Amino acid sequence: MTGQRMATRAAACATAVVLAVTGGTAAQAVDDIESLPAEQIADRSRDALLDVRSLHLRARGDLGENRSPMTVDLRLDRSGNCAGDVDLGKDKGSVEIVKRGDAVWLKPDSAFWENQVPVGGSAFESVLAGRYMKGSASDSRLRPVVEACDLDTFLELVSDNADNSDTAAGTFTKGRATSVDGVRTVPVTRTLDGQKLTAYVDTGGTHYPVRITVKGDGADAAVDFSGFDKPVPTATPSADETVDVSAVLGRAPAQS
């Protein structure tokens, strides 16, 4: 099913924004983060992000390169649990996602079936009748969703980028403190491939990046982070709300 890759694509968009502003060297311990150089502030935010056990990630907008604007809204943790949805934008459809342990539930809407699965989509929608598809995390057809739901995968990309940072990617600059959703932040910015990327770093407590934006060269997107170390909701769809994924796709599960 073509749309199975949408969660990975959306998460990759969010990751791409984060990677561009979280490289650098280890920061020195200074209490007043606003007095630090911009690169050290970026380092602090990266290190804080790498320590989280769970978070709420919301990415929205257009990263350019002929990508359609979309929104991904996921709560996820290092155990691979997640809950949220992906909206492909422009009435192209959306999908609710729940993953708990080894079980995965997906609930595409009507627009998704119409636009993402033009051949056979209406038949799939009829079988589901408003219910969730349920499958195993080991089902290779669901692997893109499973990978998008794993916070460890996301953080490994951030860590790998820090270990292989491109010193030619441009220096960081620091802006004036500003408020983001009621949180006092200090923005740090760098320019990469014609795009301006800014991380808004919490100035109090743990210095998490609470928002990262990318603008320029056709891109206009933002990634918000919140709910640090708060558990992913444990509620899962009931049995009468689900249909086995093989009944929808019409073949036996493919094992990894």
Side-chain angles (χ1 to χ4, degrees):
M1 186 172 62
T2 303
Q4 288 177 344
R5 294 182 175 84
M6 52 76 205
T8 296
R9 178 186 168 204
C13 289
T15 302
V17 177
V18 176
L19 295 185
V21 291
T22 53
T25 58
Q28 299 175 358
V30 177
D31 290 335
D32 181 10
I33 192 171
E34 293 182 49
S35 69
L36 289 173
E39 185 169 348
Q40 290 188 11
I41 296 173
D43 291 339
R44 284 284 193 92
S45 70
R46 180 205 66 220
D47 292 344
L49 190 62
L50 289 175
D51 281 342
V52 299
R53 307 305 304 175
S54 60
L55 57 75
H56 180 190
L57 178 153
R58 187 172 189 271
R60 61 197 183 280
D62 182 1
L63 283 176
E65 299 180 2
N66 297 317
R67 294 171 174 160
S68 298
M70 61 169 58
T71 300
V72 55
D73 190 331
L74 291 174
R75 290 170 171 82
L76 60 166
D77 65 22
R78 291 193 174 213
S79 296
N81 301 309
C82 80
D85 61 80
V86 173
D87 188 330
L88 300 179
K90 296 184 178 179
D91 299 320
K92 292 183 178 180
S94 63
V95 181
E96 294 180 36
I97 301 171
V98 178
K99 182 179 179 293
R100 197 77 194 171
D102 189 52
V104 182
W105 293 262
L106 300 175
K107 187 178 181 180
D109 66 4
S110 296
F112 176 92
W113 291 120
E114 179 180 350
N115 291 281
Q116 306 304 318
V117 193
V119 178
S122 59
F124 296 151
E125 183 181 9
S126 177
V127 171
L128 282 174
R131 294 171 292 180
Y132 290 81
M133 289 190 295
K134 181 182 179 182
S136 168
S138 62
D139 188 326
S140 62
R141 295 167 298 183
L142 302 180
R143 186 174 294 127
V145 176
V146 172
E147 291 175 350
C149 279
D150 191 345
L151 180 59
D152 271 342
T153 299
F154 176 80
L155 295 179
E156 283 171 8
L157 290 172
V158 175
S159 179
D160 289 347
N161 180 77
D163 292 338
N164 300 283
S165 56
D166 182 2
T167 57
T171 58
F172 291 91
T173 58
K174 179 173 62 175
R176 293 182 177 180
T178 186
S179 178
V180 175
D181 292 336
V183 177
R184 181 179 174 84
T185 69
V186 57
V188 289
T189 300
R190 78 192 303 185
T191 299
L192 180 64
D193 296 329
Q195 294 180 336
K196 181 179 178 181
L197 303 111
T198 302
Y200 294 84
V201 181
D202 190 344
T203 61
T206 305
H207 303 304
Y208 295 116
V210 297
R211 176 172 295 166
I212 297 176
T213 62
V214 55
K215 295 181 183 293
D217 195 25
D220 186 2
V223 182
D224 286 350
F225 299 99
S226 61
F228 301 102
D229 292 328
K230 293 184 178 179
V232 173
T234 59
T236 59
S238 63
D240 60 1
E241 294 178 287
T242 66
V243 177
D244 186 87
V245 65
S246 294
V248 180
L249 301 186
R251 59 182 183 272
Q255 300 299 316
S256 59

